[in-house]
Amino acid sequence: DAGVIQSPRHEVTEMGQEVTLRCKPISGHNSLFWYRQTMMRGLELLIYFNNNVPIDDSGMPEDRFSAKMPNASFSTLKIQPSEPRDSAVYFCASNALWASGEQFFGPGTRLTVL
Amino acid sequence: SQQGEEDPQALSIQEGENATMNCSYKTSINNLQWYRQNSGRGLVHLILIRSNEREKHSGRLRVTLDTSKKSSSLLITASRAADTASDFCAANSGGYQKVTFGIGTKLQVIP
């Protein structure tokens, strides 16, 4: 298995632009998590899905952030409009609800908003 | 807010020495996990200890859990330069696999 796949790996955009981050979880996993990591705030859980259904989005910072999981093999995190303070590394992780709890992380998307 | 808080935040040791890092958490947990992050990469799972376990081993890793004190410790024995990374504890509570990460301990192993 290729592991969790995220794209793009790097994104540089200008303030006000829409940004879409993509994630493909490991096949067979039914939970998917989006995290944001910054020096100031550490690793924050933004939202997680179970069987494609959003379970907890309390970590989504503002209405500018939205996430979807249209099927078991794909999820997106969208920021519209983007702001410089959104600059961070965004990680996607997946696991199987019936398994031990270990989460498998993707390589992350480094977002820079100018 | 962070569920887990690691101590120390940074640790520098010589290769071959042991490294101990601690984690405190706030609420009742199902399990406590430790992850490692090498610079610029995603996190990798190291070890998981369940709330009804007190100690667990995996290779050079030993983790303990004290639920009465809401704390855990990770011991890395015979450290190697490749252990240079940030190690995070992550507390799982609730009915799903959601975990809350601490701020991490940055470990530097000097060859």
Side-chain angles (χ1 to χ4, degrees):
Chain A
D1 199 316
V4 175
I5 299 172
Q6 291 187 246
S7 65
R9 294 292 308 277
H10 301 273
E11 176 82 20
V12 180
T13 190
E14 293 188 347
M15 184 174 64
Q17 297 298 306
E18 177 179 296
V19 175
T20 300
L21 311 181
R22 297 173 176 79
C23 175
K24 177 179 169 54
I26 292 173
S27 178
H29 284 184
N30 63 342
S31 292
L32 183 139
F33 307 81
W34 281 102
Y35 293 92
R36 176 173 69 176
Q37 186 176 39
T38 61
M39 289 293 291
M40 291 294 293
R41 300 176 67 87
L43 195 63
E44 304 173 278
L45 176 65
L46 300 178
I47 185 171
Y48 71 99
F49 296 83
N50 182 48
N51 291 327
N52 312 337
V53 176
I55 301 300
D56 184 350
D57 65 354
S58 60
M60 297 285 264
E62 301 171 32
D63 291 345
R64 298 184 296 105
F65 286 69
S66 62
K68 293 182 180 179
M69 192 164 186
N71 57 62
S73 59
F74 184 65
S75 177
T76 59
L77 178 67
K78 186 176 292 186
I79 308 172
Q80 167 63 18
S82 59
E83 297 182 3
R85 59 195 168 115
D86 301 331
S87 298
V89 181
Y90 292 81
F91 290 103
C92 175
S94 70
N95 73 358
L97 188 61
W98 56 83
S100 63
E102 172 185 357
Q103 292 187 17
F104 295 80
F105 280 74
T109 295
R110 182 173 294 275
L111 173 65
T112 302
V113 183
L114 303 174
Chain B
S1 63
Q2 299 289 345
Q3 165 77 299
E5 294 186 6
E6 287 91 341
D7 168 51
Q9 292 190 23
L11 181 60
S12 183
I13 59 174
Q14 294 289 327
E15 193 169 31
E17 294 181 338
N18 296 342
T20 299
M21 50 198 80
N22 304 298
C23 168
S24 60
Y25 57 91
K26 298 175 183 175
T27 65
S28 296
I29 59 171
N30 299 321
N31 62 67
L32 194 289
Q33 303 175 36
W34 288 87
Y35 288 80
R36 172 165 291 176
Q37 184 179 34
N38 292 103
S39 180
R41 298 191 174 185
L43 281 74
V44 175
H45 186 264
L46 294 177
I47 192 167
L48 178 153
I49 187 166
R50 301 187 189 285
S51 60
N52 61 354
E53 297 175 312
R54 292 297 167 258
E55 185 172 316
K56 199 164 183 180
H57 296 255
S58 177
R60 295 183 297 112
L61 305 180
R62 171 178 169 258
V63 64
T64 61
L65 180 66
D66 186 335
T67 53
S68 66
K69 295 181 180 178
K70 291 186 169 59
S71 68
S72 172
S73 67
L74 175 68
L75 169 67
I76 304 169
T77 60
S79 63
R80 304 168 181 170
D83 293 325
T84 295
S86 291
D87 291 337
F88 295 84
C89 69
N92 169 245
S93 55
Y96 290 94
Q97 300 284 26
K98 167 185 174 180
V99 295
T100 307
F101 282 86
I103 58 175
T105 293
K106 193 167 186 177
L107 174 64
Q108 181 184 27
V109 180
I110 302 167

